[in-house]
């Protein structure tokens, strides 16, 4: 049976994020079992907006893995339908419409996620996301595997500007395909628990201001550790995919 439950040392993870308002790193959810409202502010329909949505999705997933209930809201003056559709295509969990819900819902924490330079109203923390350039958001319509765009946008610190040049999505798709094939091959071996040192590295990364490039780096590091059984490699990728949502187990049964 998959070993997804964290060991005692990680029973009470503390996700810490950089608050753009104060420049300080603070707990994303000071009351672990209390409701946290996460509101994403999108000012357009472009790659930057998609990156903001993806960052919000990561925050929601990390909070839920740590046992914190969340209320995800989307506030946008325009392109509501397009943004909701893009979120579905990119494997982002559904958002409620922020305009239909008033503040003060009994939440213990409010976190806003927005592009750099966008001023958000009200109280709470603000997570700023750097711009993303390259093809328009409509590129999603022509992608055979939207997870390639998800990987391309996640593969850099959110405070670093990303430009997806020619071939970037094809390269991300090939990289994702190789990892999925490796996961499918590892799944052919008997299941083994996620090694505690690997789980610890993963949690240290994503609890440190949602360091997703760090999480991806741990997966690359794990591949080169000969003492880790293939069954444990598979369980590690399945566990990390609870945050990454790259559908890493998609090709199970297809490995030669």
């Amino acid at each position: 049976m998959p070993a997804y439950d964290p060991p005692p040392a990680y029973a009470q993870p503390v996700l810490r994020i950089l608050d753009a308002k104060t420049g300080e790193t603070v707990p994303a959810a000071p009351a672990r079992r209390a409701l946290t409202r996460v509101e994403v502010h999108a000012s357009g329909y472009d790659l930057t907006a998609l990156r903001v949505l993806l960052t919000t999705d990561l925050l929601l997933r990390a909070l839920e893995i740590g046992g914190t209930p969340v209320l995800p809201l989307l506030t946008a003056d325009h392109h509501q339908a397009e943004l909701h559709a893009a979120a579905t295509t990119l494997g982002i969990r559904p958002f409620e419409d922020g305009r239909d819900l008033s503040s003060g819902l009994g939440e213990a924490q409010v976190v806003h996620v927005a592009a750099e330079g966008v001023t958000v109203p009200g109280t709470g923390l603000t997570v700023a996301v750097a711009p993303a350039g390259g093809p328009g958001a409509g590129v999603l319509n022509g992608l055979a595997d939207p997870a390639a765009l998800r990987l391309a946008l996640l593969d850099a610190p959110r405070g670093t500007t990303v430009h997806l040049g020619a071939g970037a999505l094809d390269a991300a798709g090939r990289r994702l395909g190789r990892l999925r094939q490796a996961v499918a091959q590892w799944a052919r071996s008997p299941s083994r628990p996620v090694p505690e040192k690997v789980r610890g590295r993963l949690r240290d990364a994503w609890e440190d201001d949602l360091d997703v490039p760090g999480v991806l780096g741990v997966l690359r590091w794990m591949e080169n550790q000969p003492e880790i059984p293939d069954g444990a490699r598979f369980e590690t990728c399945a566990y990390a995919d609870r945050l990454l949502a790259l559908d890493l187990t998609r090709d199970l049964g297809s490995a030669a």
Side-chain angles (χ1 to χ4, degrees):
M1 180 174 293
Y4 291 150
D5 292 332
Y10 295 93
Q12 295 186 345
V14 178
L15 171 63
R16 298 180 66 81
I17 57 175
L18 178 65
D19 181 6
K21 289 182 178 179
T22 65
E24 297 180 355
T25 301
V26 296
R32 182 167 173 258
R33 295 293 180 182
L35 179 67
T36 293
R37 176 159 59 95
V38 180
E39 186 167 356
V40 55
H41 301 264
S43 57
Y45 182 59
D46 53 18
L47 281 188
T48 297
L50 297 187
R51 194 181 190 194
V52 171
L53 293 179
L54 282 171
T55 299
T56 307
D57 188 51
L58 291 171
L59 176 60
L60 294 170
R61 291 172 182 275
L63 287 170
E64 289 183 327
I65 291 171
T68 298
V70 296
L71 173 63
L73 304 176
L74 170 62
T75 297
D77 294 331
H78 307 286
H79 305 292
Q80 282 271 2
E82 293 92 338
L83 290 168
H84 280 292
T88 299
T89 301
L90 285 169
I92 296 170
R93 58 169 299 164
F95 295 101
E96 301 288 343
D97 190 338
R99 298 172 301 180
D100 294 340
L101 295 174
S102 62
S103 60
L105 298 174
E107 64 270 13
Q109 177 75 293
V110 179
V111 183
H112 302 275
V113 186
E116 286 182 351
V118 173
T119 301
V120 298
T123 60
L125 311 178
T126 297
V127 177
V129 182
V139 70
L140 272 175
N141 299 327
L143 285 178
D145 185 0
L149 177 58
R150 185 178 178 106
L151 175 60
L153 290 175
L154 293 180
D155 202 22
R158 72 165 186 276
T160 301
T161 298
V162 171
H163 182 81
L164 301 183
L169 295 182
D170 288 341
R174 290 191 297 270
R175 178 180 166 195
L176 186 56
R178 287 192 295 269
L179 181 54
R180 284 172 173 166
Q181 283 296 303
V183 170
Q185 183 63 46
W186 296 332
R188 296 166 65 88
S189 298
S191 177
R192 294 289 185 269
V194 179
E196 289 194 19
K197 68 175 182 179
V198 179
R199 187 192 299 271
R201 284 174 178 251
L202 289 171
R203 298 301 287 259
D204 287 346
W206 82 54
E207 289 163 15
D208 181 14
D209 199 31
L210 293 173
D211 180 11
V212 177
V215 172
L216 294 169
V218 172
L219 297 185
R220 290 192 295 270
W221 167 83
M222 178 197 67
E223 291 188 58
N224 298 315
Q225 305 305 305
E227 74 278 9
I228 298 178
D230 283 352
R233 299 180 201 271
F234 166 75
E235 297 294 352
T236 297
C237 289
Y239 174 69
D241 210 34
R242 295 172 63 186
L243 177 80
L244 300 173
L246 293 172
D247 202 9
L248 295 181
T249 61
R250 191 189 72 174
D251 292 345
L252 261 62
S254 66

